[in-house]
Amino acid sequence: MPKKVTKIGVLTSGGDSPGMNAAIRAAVRTGLYHNLEVFGVMRGYSGMIDDDIVKMDSRSVANIIQRGGTILKTARSKDFYEPSGRQIAYDNLTKRGINGLVIIGGDGSFKGAQKFSNEFDIPCIGIPGTIDKDIAGSDFTIGFDTAVNTAVEAIDKIRDTMDAHDRLFIVEVMGRDAGYIALHSGIATGAENILIPETETDIEELICSLTEKERRKKLVNLVVVAEGDKFGGAEIVKIIGQRLPHLDTRICILGHIQRGGSPTCIDRLIASRMGYHAVESLMEGRHNVMVGILNNKMNYIPLDKAVKAKQKITNDWLRIVKILAS
Ligand code: F6P
């Protein structure tokens, strides 16, 4: 029989993503509903080590569902990689009687949680919070939808200038090693080419496609590049400048604006569902799983699987990109 969870800690770790606050709110309020004591751990695993842990009540999460960032702050803790750091973290939790954790973050955060719960007897439930959508077991991760919408809004604006000047624009979006932000924002803005790390970028093919478009008098072209692409935006613009110097080419790297801002309705909803189910899962005795949503149903996947098995970009997506960009 798993031990009854009575006091839980909630933390956000890794890069912030819009909707994390909605997940914190849901976890805190579900915990309180079940008469659990709820603690917020500040700055992810760093706060566990530095003993920066605060008691949460219903009011501590008031008026945050619409706010980007995370009220608990976040960090990428190097000390937590060390066994000595994890021991201190464990001691700080146990002196308060915390016997369950909800970790909102991405793959680095889940790797940490997995290690921690293998060493110590504290069940950990992960909630996928990252704009990159690079986690298996969930159709969406918290923040992805907002990030894509931010990218789409920015690219729509860039298109006005593209169109006015007959320019070729290279727009680089975030995503670390994953191409989802590029794929989704590229399709939604009618990009002529989308370059992602999941497929081998062929420079000759890109040059050929731009030359062919020029031949057809298609002078306005948009190439969306994922930052994790083999070349990346800066290299692509350099190569195009050398190979097609007569084109009026510009680059825009969207950067961290994709991580901020008020979460979309979809992000608020999935965050609320996941936060609620994370706490229910702890109470049901689940441990070391991530709560995801697949086909609109809750889905539970071991933390190590969520990290190892990335989502796949199917050929169907790639076919859509090719056909619609013609
Ligand atoms: O994982 C989220 C993310 O925004 C990635 O898309 C990006 O590569 C990285 O974090 C940037 O990290 P930092 O904010 O530490 O520069």
Side-chain angles (χ1 to χ4, degrees):
M1 272 289 275
K3 272 192 247 154
K4 197 166 173 266
V5 172
T6 49
K7 299 186 185 190
I8 62 169
V10 181
L11 60 104
T12 48
S13 163
D16 64 309
S17 66
M20 279 183 161
N21 279 328
I24 296 168
R25 172 181 177 269
V28 169
R29 291 202 170 157
T30 307
L32 296 172
Y33 172 81
H34 288 297
N35 296 318
L36 304 181
E37 271 186 59
V38 185
F39 295 86
V41 181
M42 301 303 294
R43 294 182 177 78
Y45 297 121
S46 301
M48 265 162 79
I49 296 172
D50 302 340
D51 205 16
D52 195 358
I53 300 174
V54 294
K55 193 89 186 283
M56 307 286 280
D57 62 24
S58 194
R59 289 307 95 211
S60 17
V61 290
N63 198 23
I64 64 166
I65 195 167
Q66 77 284 16
R67 283 168 53 193
T70 157
I71 58 160
L72 295 178
K73 309 225 178 224
T74 185
R76 295 182 174 112
S77 167
K78 287 213 169 64
D79 293 340
F80 200 72
Y81 286 116
E82 304 300 326
S84 54
R86 293 195 291 277
Q87 180 66 54
I88 297 171
Y90 175 73
D91 293 342
N92 286 331
L93 294 181
T94 45
K95 77 179 179 201
R96 289 183 178 80
I98 295 173
N99 51 10
L101 280 179
V102 174
I103 294 136
I104 307 162
D107 56 357
S109 317
F110 292 170
K111 279 182 199 151
Q114 184 72 38
K115 258 206 163 99
F116 189 63
S117 61
N118 283 343
E119 288 168 350
F120 304 103
D121 187 21
I122 293 199
C124 295
I125 303 290
I127 295 180
T130 164
I131 62 165
D132 301 335
K133 202 167 101 75
D134 56 351
I135 302 271
S138 190
D139 288 333
F140 287 96
T141 55
I142 296 169
F144 173 75
D145 186 61
T146 308
V148 168
N149 275 289
T150 301
V152 165
E153 204 183 318
I155 296 171
D156 283 348
K157 288 184 177 149
I158 291 169
R159 244 197 199 284
D160 290 345
T161 300
M162 270 170 62
D163 193 50
H165 287 266
D166 286 340
R167 274 183 182 162
L168 163 63
F169 250 96
I170 314 297
V171 178
E172 185 186 281
V173 296
M174 275 188 168
R176 206 180 287 273
D177 302 326
Y180 282 97
I181 299 179
L183 184 74
H184 286 229
S185 63
I187 292 177
T189 53
E192 274 69 27
N193 297 84
I194 301 173
L195 310 180
I196 53 176
E198 288 81 355
T199 58
E200 182 79 9
T201 294
D202 183 338
I203 287 290
E204 291 313 316
E205 201 180 306
L206 177 68
I207 299 289
C208 215
S209 120
L210 292 172
T211 312
E212 163 62 13
K213 285 184 179 111
E214 201 186 356
R215 194 187 59 73
R216 287 194 279 121
K217 308 258 179 296
K218 191 170 192 297
L219 300 173
V220 178
N221 284 301
L222 167 67
V223 181
V224 175
V225 188
E227 65 174 351
D229 170 70
K230 184 168 118 188
F231 295 95
E235 189 60 23
I236 293 285
V237 85
K238 201 168 125 200
I239 296 170
I240 292 176
Q242 287 161 355
R243 301 282 302 273
L244 305 169
H246 55 286
L247 294 185
D248 193 7
T249 309
R250 294 288 189 280
I251 180 167
C252 179
I253 298 175
L254 293 188
H256 286 81
I257 59 161
Q258 294 158 96
R259 282 247 293 270
S262 182
T264 59
C265 178
I266 286 183
D267 275 329
R268 296 181 200 194
L269 279 178
I270 63 169
S272 300
R273 289 173 75 188
M274 288 176 185
Y276 164 84
H277 281 284
V279 175
E280 295 276 317
S281 301
L282 277 175
M283 300 201 60
E284 286 160 9
R286 286 186 209 264
H287 60 104
N288 306 345
V289 294
M290 184 197 85
V291 181
I293 301 177
L294 267 187
N295 299 325
N296 207 23
K297 290 203 174 66
M298 301 320 292
N299 182 55
Y300 301 89
I301 174 172
L303 286 173
D304 54 343
K305 282 218 173 104
V307 171
K308 268 191 220 130
K310 302 277 181 225
Q311 297 182 19
K312 296 259 178 321
I313 291 181
T314 60
N315 286 336
D316 198 37
W317 280 105
L318 303 173
R319 218 173 123 70
I320 291 174
V321 172
K322 249 207 167 89
I323 292 174
L324 300 193
S326 58

